[in-house]
Amino acid sequence: MTDFTLGVNYWPRRKAMYWWNHFDAGEVREELSIIRELGLKVVRIFLLWDDFQPEPDSVSKEALGHLVEVADTAAGNELGLDVTFFTGHMSGPNWSPRWLLGGELPNKDGYGRRREVVSEGEVTEQGYRNMFHDEMALHAERLLLESVVGTLKDHPGIWMWNLGNEPNLFACPNSSDEGVAWVKEMVALIKSLDPNHPVTIGLYDESFHRDNGLRIDRVYANTDVAVMHSYPMYTPWVRQPLDSDFVPFTCAMTTALCGKPVLMEEFGGCTAQPGEPSHIMKWTEVNGHEREQFMASEEDFAEFIRLTLAKLQDSGATGAMIWCYADYSPELWDLPPCDNFQHERFFGLVRPDGSLKPHAKVIQEFAATKPQVKPIPEYAKFELDPEEFYKNPTPFLLDFYQKYLEGIVPL
């Protein structure tokens, strides 16, 4: 039997995206202890690229030292770190290292607008160059991998290496051939330094809808672990914003494409204020654009998590990692990403005041059952040709989702 991995995506509540430059070891110790008490085993952290490499030809000794402290604290709490490089995209904006500025990227967001770019902690109007093809970026990537993996390869706090957080939102390779060549090179470099820890790359469900240069079948043929990130509240064709079958379905689809069992590395949603019902929140961004987003009541969201965890286990997923540990503290609300992406303030297990939301208890109770990985059931198995699939993915997705729903055996 194999343990069903339970984890959380993490940044400190009071520092969030700014924690590496305002590092507080005491806060990290306190919060990793809470994560351990909830019964979680894996903590995914993000090496904000500009913080770790303010210059392309060197790695910040201060940031690397803080990372070692985090690994020490994780090991002391019997937690493993899923260390994510080249971040990159996060929570709406793209966070570019300062030395990469000066290109034509980023890609447009879901509203057809140029995606917001943050560098050195400030919003910039500059674009940046493509990390998959720019020679300076490739040199910097190799150096960062060599420095971090070389330092921590034997550390008991390391669980897995991760080549990016939804990297196609930051940049896309020019072709899937070039995308897979990049993945092969980076995986091989890590393996030359550390043959013992697995390597993955954090793709999300947009990778089902088009060939963005990081095709699921080709990428995960060259990593140790296949993962997926899924959010029904962002997907227009689901039955409802809290569709508890969508997340395990995306694991099944990932397996169908790459032939490997899948870790649900990111799933979750934004919650309303305590006592508020589920509703649509509307706001105006600083640029005047009108936005709206479904916000789940804390009770509705807890039920969504309860159902989704059970269904992930039943469908053969290898684990589940919630997004994310903490809501943003109010003192960060006027900074990116919270100024424009106001719903991003409220994705946490923990409220801004540090109290636990109801779904934290749900996760703790599920962890207490010591869940095990189950075989993939027949209803979650699909036969498909990746080449045919990527010619026109949407009809496949809609057809397979209907078949998936029809085949589910009620829990």
Side-chain angles (χ1 to χ4, degrees):
M1 299 289 284
T2 302
D3 290 341
F4 183 88
T5 299
L6 286 171
V8 65
N9 292 266
Y10 174 76
W11 56 67
R13 175 171 55 89
R14 291 186 289 272
K15 306 295 190 302
M17 290 292 293
Y18 303 91
W19 70 302
W20 294 113
N21 283 338
H22 300 85
F23 190 75
D24 184 336
E27 183 178 26
V28 173
R29 286 194 297 270
E30 175 189 345
E31 294 183 340
L32 294 196
S33 177
I34 292 169
I35 290 170
R36 179 197 64 201
E37 290 170 4
L38 291 174
L40 304 180
K41 298 297 184 184
V42 176
V43 177
R44 183 171 175 232
I45 61 171
F46 305 87
L47 310 189
L48 193 66
W49 202 353
D50 193 49
D51 291 347
F52 274 78
Q53 279 187 297
E55 301 295 336
D57 56 358
S58 64
V59 174
S60 167
K61 292 181 179 179
E62 183 178 31
L64 189 56
H66 294 330
L67 176 58
V68 172
E69 287 188 74
V70 176
D72 291 343
T73 303
N77 284 281
E78 299 182 326
L79 298 168
L81 296 179
D82 176 348
V83 179
T84 301
F85 294 98
F86 315 134
T87 309
H89 175 79
M90 178 67 72
S91 300
N94 285 346
W95 308 74
S96 175
R98 63 202 73 176
W99 45 263
L100 196 59
L101 295 175
E104 297 181 352
L105 294 178
N107 300 325
K108 293 181 179 180
D109 66 14
Y111 297 90
R113 301 165 304 165
R114 181 180 177 278
R115 192 175 291 278
E116 186 175 66
V117 178
V118 182
S119 190
E120 296 187 76
E122 303 284 342
V123 175
T124 176
E125 293 302 313
Q126 293 190 69
Y128 52 83
R129 302 183 304 280
N130 192 315
M131 63 170 279
F132 293 104
H133 303 292
D134 181 77
E135 286 301 324
M136 182 183 294
L138 292 168
H139 169 78
E141 290 156 17
R142 297 177 190 114
L143 178 60
L144 185 60
L145 293 180
E146 289 167 354
S147 300
V148 172
V149 177
T151 299
L152 288 168
K153 62 182 180 179
D154 297 319
H155 197 289
I158 298 301
W159 186 69
M160 182 164 68
W161 304 112
N162 190 321
L163 291 174
N165 180 55
E166 302 172 4
N168 62 286
L169 289 173
F170 187 71
C172 290
N174 291 334
S175 69
S176 60
D177 285 343
E178 291 164 293
V180 77
W182 181 88
V183 171
K184 284 181 178 180
E185 178 188 351
M186 298 301 157
V187 171
L189 176 55
I190 291 175
K191 289 296 187 181
S192 72
L193 299 164
D194 176 8
N196 298 316
H197 289 103
V199 183
T200 193
I201 182 170
L203 304 185
Y204 82 116
D205 55 34
E206 194 262 357
S207 294
F208 292 123
H209 291 88
R210 67 185 183 97
D211 179 354
N212 55 30
L214 294 169
R215 275 179 33 169
I216 290 169
D217 59 320
R218 302 193 69 187
V219 166
Y220 290 142
N222 293 282
T223 65
D224 300 295
V225 176
V227 304
M228 185 45 55
H229 304 174
S230 295
Y231 295 86
M233 60 176 56
Y234 290 158
T235 305
W237 50 265
V238 299
R239 295 170 298 173
Q240 56 178 308
L242 298 179
D243 188 338
S244 60
D245 289 304
F246 175 74
V247 173
F249 168 72
T250 61
C251 286
M253 284 299 300
T254 304
T255 295
L257 285 165
C258 73
K260 294 179 178 179
V262 176
L263 168 68
M264 178 48 60
E265 189 182 48
E266 249 192 61
F267 78 110
C270 40
T271 59
Q273 295 301 296
E276 287 185 347
S278 295
H279 66 278
I280 302 296
M281 181 175 78
K282 298 181 180 181
W283 73 94
T284 303
E285 294 181 356
V286 295
N287 61 8
H289 185 81
E290 299 295 327
R291 288 288 302 272
E292 61 180 47
Q293 176 62 46
F294 174 82
M295 307 292 288
S297 76
E298 289 188 344
E299 293 72 24
D300 289 348
F301 190 70
E303 179 64 5
F304 165 73
I305 295 299
R306 185 188 70 81
L307 292 171
T308 302
L309 285 173
K311 291 176 178 180
L312 279 168
Q313 184 190 17
D314 191 63
S315 67
T318 64
M321 299 178 64
I322 193 76
W323 184 275
C324 58
Y325 173 70
D327 286 354
Y328 280 82
S329 294
E331 57 265 31
L332 301 173
W333 288 1
D334 291 333
L335 301 173
C338 294
D339 53 352
N340 272 338
F341 303 89
Q342 292 188 14
H343 64 298
E344 293 286 352
R345 302 170 181 177
F346 306 113
F347 273 80
L349 286 169
V350 175
R351 302 185 186 97
D353 64 2
S355 58
L356 296 176
K357 296 181 186 178
H359 69 282
K361 182 69 172 177
V362 168
I363 293 171
Q364 186 177 39
E365 291 173 349
F366 183 75
T369 68
K370 300 187 183 304
Q372 302 293 304
V373 176
K374 295 182 179 181
I376 299 175
E378 289 302 314
Y379 71 79
K381 295 179 180 178
F382 302 108
E383 296 291 333
L384 59 82
D385 178 348
E387 296 299 330
E388 289 299 315
F389 175 84
Y390 275 108
K391 289 178 182 177
N392 187 15
T394 299
F396 282 99
L397 290 169
L398 298 179
D399 179 52
F400 283 143
Y401 193 43
Q402 186 59 41
K403 292 176 179 177
Y404 181 89
L405 296 173
E406 292 171 356
I408 291 174
V409 177
L411 296 176

